[in-house]
Amino acid sequence: MDTSRRQTGIQQLLAAEQEAQHIVNEARNAKTARLKQAKEEAEKEIAAYRAQMEAEYQRKLAQTSGDSGANVKRLEQETEEKIHHLRSQAAAISDDVVQILLKHVTTVKN
């Protein structure tokens, strides 16, 4: 009887070991599946964020290029105004400059 109890005990231990191994394998498979799912979700979030950032970048780029034309026009207008201002100042004092130059050129110093 002792042998049959040992056999029964050994078989129970083997059955418990198989059951434990089965539980561990299921847990590993569940963990692997969850990691795969988390990776897929993260990739979707990354793709959505990347698309959002790209759209924002393109919008800013469009605004900047649109403003660039306006900035160029504004700068051209300011430049023309400054050139006109400098020419008018030069015209106003050109007679005086000519007189000063003639005076210095024609004055003889000993």
Side-chain angles (χ1 to χ4, degrees):
M1 177 124 168
D2 207 20
T3 333
S4 80
R5 282 181 80 192
R6 284 185 195 167
Q7 285 293 336
T8 308
I10 290 174
Q11 289 191 0
Q12 285 178 345
L13 285 174
L14 288 174
E17 184 180 353
Q18 286 178 351
E19 185 180 345
Q21 188 64 37
H22 181 69
I23 291 171
V24 168
N25 287 338
E26 285 181 1
R28 283 185 184 151
N29 291 339
K31 179 181 175 184
T32 304
R34 179 61 188 130
L35 286 173
K36 184 177 179 183
Q37 181 185 6
K39 182 178 179 184
E40 290 172 356
E41 290 173 3
E43 287 175 353
K44 287 179 184 177
E45 286 181 26
I46 290 169
Y49 181 74
R50 182 175 285 136
Q52 177 187 358
M53 290 293 109
E54 180 67 24
E56 186 176 332
Y57 170 74
Q58 292 298 333
R59 182 181 55 80
K60 285 184 180 182
L61 187 63
Q63 286 178 347
T64 303
S65 65
D67 290 345
S68 179
N71 286 337
V72 168
K73 288 180 182 178
R74 181 183 55 81
L75 289 173
E76 285 177 351
Q77 182 180 3
E78 288 176 7
T79 303
E80 287 298 322
E81 289 173 1
K82 287 180 182 179
I83 289 173
H84 177 70
H85 178 71
L86 289 173
R87 284 186 178 160
S88 64
Q89 281 183 332
I93 62 170
S94 66
D95 289 338
D96 294 337
V97 172
V98 169
Q99 291 301 321
I100 292 171
L101 287 174
L102 283 174
K103 180 180 171 190
H104 284 289
V105 170
T106 57
T107 304
V108 179
K109 291 186 179 180
N110 288 341

